[in-house]
């Protein structure tokens, strides 16, 4: 059994055939990007045609820190002009 | 189906069925979880092919579970035990390249196997890709993995000539198929820093009678396990 240092963790993003964007599907271990792609295809797409897969080494992802959550994400809810809620969305506008 | 087409369906169907079973033996034993999924995936593809082919020849369950060893028409290559991971990969490489060439040819024809072959070539292309990748990784990996790959190539080489014995009902240029196979496999092995074995691929000391129903010793044990339940409860439905 190889240790996890030989088989680093990869994050997998999949865009389905009719999908608009890549969505994080999960993670897996693989020795390199090529193998990660192949494993992702088996694990997360069941080989559906027309899907797109991205694999990213987990170490390349920088995440926001939960400790800084408050100053980082706190919306100024008392300032309604910050939120685009006053617009009527016309019929026929898709993907909003 | 004509008698010869029937015979061809059995030969191809048995190859897929038996190799599928051998790959299924890896479930829970593969080196890493991701590889386990890949092997199971390939096994499922092959089992799907086997079901279609055996159904062309008769009742799939009856054919799979009630025939004796001497009635199976698979190549001796596919019945060889998996051994270590290297051996499984070499077996996959040899057989997948063969299947890709064979189905590629059948898909362009108009015979009874054209529809199946057209569907299977996509699956088989993936199997070849998987086997090639691992051959390169292990052959050109560490000293140990290289040694194991060399050993597996040497051990399985003598089973490869049998693949190009003409099968009744398949009108193919077997010589050309064999040339292409050798070319493909040689290319992959060389890229993987492995030596193409020099041993014989046909003649004495090689396999050659799987298609005639003569099999190697491990096959009987495999069938006993595969058929046990059906033989214990004949006629049951599940």
């Amino acid at each position: 059994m190889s240790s996890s240092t030989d088989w680093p963790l990869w994050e997998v993003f999949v865009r389905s055939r009719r999908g608009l964007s890549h969505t994080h599907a999960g993670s897996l271990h693989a020795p390199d990007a090529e193998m990660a792609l192949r494993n992702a295809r088996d694990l997360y797409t069941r080989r559906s045609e027309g899907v797109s897969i991205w694999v990213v080494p987990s170490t390349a992802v920088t995440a926001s820190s939960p400790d800084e959550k408050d100053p980082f994400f706190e919306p100024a809810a008392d300032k309604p002009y910050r939120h685009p809620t006053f617009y009527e969305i016309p019929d026929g506008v898709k993907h909003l | 189906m004509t008698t010869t087409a029937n015979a061809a369906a059995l030969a191809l169907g048995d190859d897929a069925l038996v190799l599928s079973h051998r790959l299924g033996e890896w479930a829970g034993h593969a080196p890493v979880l991701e590889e386990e999924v890949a092997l199971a995936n390939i096994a499922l593809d092959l089992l799907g092919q086997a079901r279609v082919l055996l159904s062309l020849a008769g009742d799939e369950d009856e054919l799979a579970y009630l025939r004796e060893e001497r009635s199976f028409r698979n190549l001796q290559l596919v019945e060889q035990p998996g051994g270590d991971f290297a051996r499984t990969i070499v077996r996959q490489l040899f057989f997948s390249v063969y299947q890709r060439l064979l189905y590629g040819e059948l898909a362009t024809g108009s015979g009874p196997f054209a529809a199946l072959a057209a569907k299977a070539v996509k699956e088989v292309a993936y199997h070849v890709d998987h086997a090639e990748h691992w051959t390169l990784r292990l052959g050109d990996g560490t000293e140990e993995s290289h040694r194991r790959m060399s050993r597996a190539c040497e051990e399985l080489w003598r089973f490869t000539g049998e693949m190009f014995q003409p099968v009744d009902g398949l009108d193919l240029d077997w010589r050309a198929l064999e040339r292409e196979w050798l070319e493909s496999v040689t290319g992959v092995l060389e890229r993987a820093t492995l030596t193409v074995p020099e041993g014989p691929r046909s003649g004495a000391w090689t396999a050659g009678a799987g298609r005639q129903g003569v099999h190697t010793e491990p096959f009987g044990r495999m069938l006993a396990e595969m058929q046990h339940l059906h033989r214990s409860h004949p006629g049951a439905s599940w």
Side-chain angles (χ1 to χ4, degrees):
Chain A
M1 185 74 200
S2 45
S3 72
S4 53
T5 48
D6 298 327
W7 286 62
L9 194 66
W10 298 76
E11 301 300 328
V12 180
F13 299 81
V14 174
R15 184 169 63 75
S16 58
R17 188 162 25 162
R18 294 184 178 281
L20 286 165
S21 55
H22 287 76
T23 311
H24 185 231
S27 49
L28 52 80
H29 289 280
D32 55 35
E34 288 275 290
M35 204 55 110
L37 264 187
R38 281 166 177 79
N39 291 340
R41 159 196 172 280
D42 286 342
L43 286 165
Y44 296 114
T45 71
R46 312 294 304 174
R47 268 179 286 164
S48 320
E49 273 140 80
V51 299
S52 160
I53 304 175
W54 291 347
V55 290
V56 181
S58 294
T59 50
V61 176
T62 309
S64 59
S65 140
D67 302 335
E68 295 166 18
K69 199 170 125 209
D70 285 355
F72 214 77
F73 293 117
E74 187 78 36
D78 57 331
K79 295 173 184 148
Y81 52 83
R82 282 178 171 268
H83 305 289
T85 51
F86 302 106
Y87 302 99
E88 297 274 333
I89 297 171
D91 293 341
V93 172
K94 287 175 188 152
H95 314 314
L96 256 178
Chain B
M1 294 280 276
T2 60
T3 333
T4 53
N6 227 44
L10 274 187
L12 302 186
D14 285 351
D15 283 350
L17 173 68
V18 171
L19 187 56
S20 166
H21 189 90
R22 282 297 187 206
L23 288 174
E25 292 172 347
W26 275 102
H29 299 278
V32 288
L33 184 62
E34 283 82 2
E35 192 46 35
E36 184 143 324
V37 177
L39 290 176
N41 233 322
I42 296 171
L44 285 174
D45 285 343
L46 288 169
L47 190 62
Q49 295 168 13
R51 293 191 60 184
V52 175
L53 287 159
L54 294 182
S55 297
L56 288 173
D59 179 90
E60 50 174 323
D61 279 351
E62 236 168 72
L63 287 169
Y65 293 121
L66 294 175
R67 268 183 303 160
E68 303 281 345
E69 186 179 331
R70 289 299 296 259
S71 310
F72 274 82
R73 292 289 176 264
N74 55 282
L75 298 163
Q76 290 182 6
L77 174 69
V78 296
E79 74 201 32
Q80 296 312 304
D84 59 11
F85 189 64
R87 193 173 151 102
T88 291
I89 290 301
V90 171
R91 190 182 61 191
Q92 277 313 111
L93 177 73
F94 290 170
F95 183 72
S96 301
V97 172
Y98 163 74
Q99 252 197 334
R100 183 185 62 189
L101 296 167
L102 184 74
Y103 283 147
E105 283 294 313
L106 292 176
T108 59
S110 58
F113 305 113
L116 162 91
K119 187 166 170 280
V121 280
K122 288 189 205 164
E123 296 171 350
V124 174
Y126 171 69
H127 304 172
V128 172
D129 177 81
H130 174 265
E132 281 188 7
H133 256 81
W134 274 113
T135 302
L136 295 178
R137 280 180 160 74
L138 296 173
D140 197 11
T142 64
E143 214 171 285
E144 171 75 5
S145 71
H146 180 89
R147 190 182 60 75
R148 287 180 183 235
M149 285 298 281
S150 304
R151 188 181 62 189
C153 287
E154 292 286 346
E155 283 173 359
L156 294 176
W157 192 247
R158 66 194 186 93
F159 294 102
T160 57
E162 187 191 14
M163 297 191 282
F164 306 98
Q165 286 177 8
V167 175
D168 279 349
L170 298 182
D171 186 22
L172 297 170
D173 185 348
W174 294 93
R175 286 288 173 98
L177 215 61
E178 182 162 20
R179 270 198 307 276
E180 284 180 64
W181 182 88
L182 261 178
E183 207 174 291
S184 287
V185 167
T186 302
V188 179
L189 293 183
E190 281 176 354
R191 274 197 295 145
T193 71
L194 292 161
T195 316
V196 177
E198 284 172 1
R201 301 177 51 245
S202 58
W205 303 106
T206 64
R211 295 274 188 242
Q212 286 80 51
V214 179
H215 295 283
T216 56
E217 194 188 342
F219 186 51
R221 290 196 291 275
M222 195 207 97
L223 276 190
E225 191 178 327
M226 189 177 94
Q227 298 181 334
H228 163 257
L229 194 68
H230 195 107
R231 289 188 183 277
S232 307
H233 303 278
S237 58
W238 62 79

